[in-house]
Amino acid sequence: MNLARFPRLRFGHFPTPLEPMRRLSERLGGPRLWIKRDDCTGLSTGGNKTRKLEYLMADALARKADTIVTQGATQSNHARQTAAIAAKLGLACHILLEDRTGYDDAEYTLNGNVLLDRLHGASVSKRPGGADMNVEMAALAETLTAEGRTPYVIPGGGSNPIGALGYVNAALELTYQAGEQGLDIGHVVHATGSAGTQAGLVTGLKAINAGIPVLGIGVRAPKPQQEENVFALARATAERMGLDGVVERSDVVANCDYVGQGYGIPTAGMVAAVKLLAETEGILLDPVYSGKGMAGLIDQIERGYFEKDSDVVFIHTGGAAALFGYPNAFDLPGYVA
Ligand SMILES: *Cc1c(COP(=O)(O)O)cnc(C)c1O
C-alpha cells in the first residue's frame, strides 16, 4: 500500500492527539477509554471531513476547478469544513442544505455551522427534506458551467473513494500512535453517517492486517443499509488502492440502535453522553454524530460488548459547532442567584 501515490493537500493539523479518558473510564468501570481527537484537525473548529477534503481538494485543483459545490443537512459539519477550505484555496463555494429535521428556529437555521458557512463566504441555499441532493447539485453545476465556471462537485460528507483515503491514512496514523503509546487496541468506535470514515478506517486497518475491529454507531440509516453503504465504499476504496478484496463483508459492523427518531433529532442518550463528556473530560461532543456515537459506546460498555481489560478508542469526529444550533436540547439549569 502506498498512499503517497494519491495527490493530497495539507492543511490539517496531523497527527491528531490520542488521549486517555481517565475519569470517564473510571466512571464507567472500564475498559480503558481513549479518544482520537479528530475534532482538532484545525480549520474552522475542525472535524473528520478535513482528512477527506485534503484528497478531494487536491483532485479539484488537478481538474482546474474554480468553484466547489457540495451538500449536507442544515447543520452540516462537512459543509462548514468545505467552505473553510475553499476560502483558504481562493475557490468559490456553493452549499446546498437539506432540511432533514424540519426545525425552523433561528438557532438551528442560522447559528452553529450555518453561521460559519456564511462567515467563510460560501453561498448557502436550502432544499426541502427528501430532495434528491445529487440531482440538485448536478443542476447547480450545470448552471455554473453555463456561466463559464469550472465546478467540482463533492458528494455529501465527502464520502467517495477519494475522500475515504483520508481515513485510510487515519488508520495508519492511529496504529502508529498506539504503538508509540503502548496501547493494545481492542476496538475502534465512532459515529458513522455518509460512510467514508468507517470505509476508510476498515480499509486501512485491513490493508495492514491490524486485527482491530471497528464499530460504527449509525446516525441515520438502519443497520443493513448502513453496513452495505460502508462495505460498498470500502470495496471501491480498496480497489482504487490496488487492494481488491482486502475488505470482507464481515469486517463492516454498524450498530444503528441509537438513531432515535431520526437524523439530527436529539435523543436522551445523546444528551446524557454530551453532558457526561463535558463534565468528566472537558470535551465537547455534538448533538448529531459524536453525541449519539458516544451514547452507543456507553450503552455497549454497559452491555458487556467490550472486554473490561482492553483499550477502546473513540474517534472524536468533531461537530461541536452544531451545539449552537441546538441550545435548548440540553435542559440546563439557569444562573445561580
Ligand atoms: C460527517 C460526520 C460523521 C460521520 O462521518 P461519515 O464519514 O459521514 O460517516 C461523524 N461525526 C461528525 C461530527 C461528522 O460531521
Side-chain angles (χ1 to χ4, degrees), residues 313-335:
V313 176
F314 181 75
I315 300 189
H316 189 338
T317 42
L323 287 169
F324 304 104
Y326 289 79
N328 302 315
F330 297 94
D331 192 25
L332 298 171
Y335 288 111

Side-chain angles (χ1 to χ4, degrees), residues 69 94-96 127 135-145 151:
V69 173
H94 296 273
I95 289 170
L96 302 182
R127 295 293 183 273
V135 169
E136 296 292 329
M137 287 199 296
L140 175 56
E142 207 171 296
T143 306
L144 289 163
T145 304

Side-chain angles (χ1 to χ4, degrees), residues 73-75 101 103 105 107-108 111-112 262-266 270 286-288 292 321-331:
T74 305
Q75 284 293 334
T101 62
Y103 297 156
D105 57 289
E107 282 86 8
Y108 185 75
N111 205 339
Y263 175 90
I265 299 179
M270 176 282 287
D286 82 275
V288 180
K292 286 183 180 177
L323 287 169
F324 304 104
Y326 289 79
N328 302 315
F330 297 94
D331 192 25

Side-chain angles (χ1 to χ4, degrees), residues 48-49 52 77-78 157 159 191-197 286 289-290 317-319:
N48 64 337
K49 304 312 180 301
K52 304 178 186 180
N77 303 299
H78 163 69
S159 286
T192 179
S194 68
T197 300
D286 82 275
Y289 294 95
S290 56
T317 42

